[in-house]
Amino acid sequence: MKDKPLKIVLLGMMGCGKTSVGRVLANKLKINFYDSDEIFEKRTNTSISNFFKVNGQEKFREIESSIITDIIKNDEFVFSLGGGAVIKPENREVLFDE
């Protein structure tokens, strides 16, 4: 019987060290590291703060949800998320099998 893939999700407020710790942890475990903010900025080709100003929080959360859905499909990873990501029940369902 194969063990479940290792999927680690780090949550917390801005600046608390999720990205720094996540990179080190993923490196030690030899698995991929993903940062939702970095992915967001690459997908939208703008900073999160600028995106908020132009498009608002609702659109931000919509794109954030699509990122979560995409990343969770991977086998093993450390995934850094902002604390607000779990506000949406559908994100909690995807992330934590609620």
Side-chain angles (χ1 to χ4, degrees):
M1 182 168 121
K2 186 178 178 196
D3 291 331
K4 288 178 90 174
L6 185 59
K7 297 183 178 189
I8 299 170
V9 178
L10 303 175
L11 296 168
M13 300 300 292
M14 267 185 355
C16 73
K18 299 178 303 287
T19 299
S20 298
V21 170
R23 284 188 200 286
V24 171
L25 182 58
N27 188 45
K28 293 274 186 191
L29 294 171
K30 297 180 180 14
I31 59 178
N32 289 324
F33 172 74
Y34 302 101
D35 182 280
S36 63
D37 290 347
E38 290 176 0
I39 295 167
F40 184 94
E41 290 183 345
K42 284 180 185 171
R43 279 195 187 180
T44 61
N45 201 31
T46 189
S47 69
I48 291 173
S49 60
N50 187 59
F51 188 90
F52 254 83
K53 288 176 195 169
V54 174
N55 301 287
Q57 182 174 356
E58 187 174 329
K59 186 66 178 171
F60 169 81
R61 295 293 175 204
E62 182 181 311
I63 295 170
E64 181 181 55
S65 292
S66 73
I67 291 167
I68 291 168
T69 300
D70 291 346
I71 296 302
I72 205 73
K73 294 174 187 174
N74 290 291
D75 283 338
E76 294 192 317
F77 56 78
V78 176
F79 189 18
S80 172
L81 292 174
V86 294
I87 291 171
K88 291 179 75 173
E90 55 268 34
N91 289 346
R92 292 192 307 271
E93 288 174 19
V94 168
L95 287 164
F96 309 115
D97 294 321
E98 286 189 352

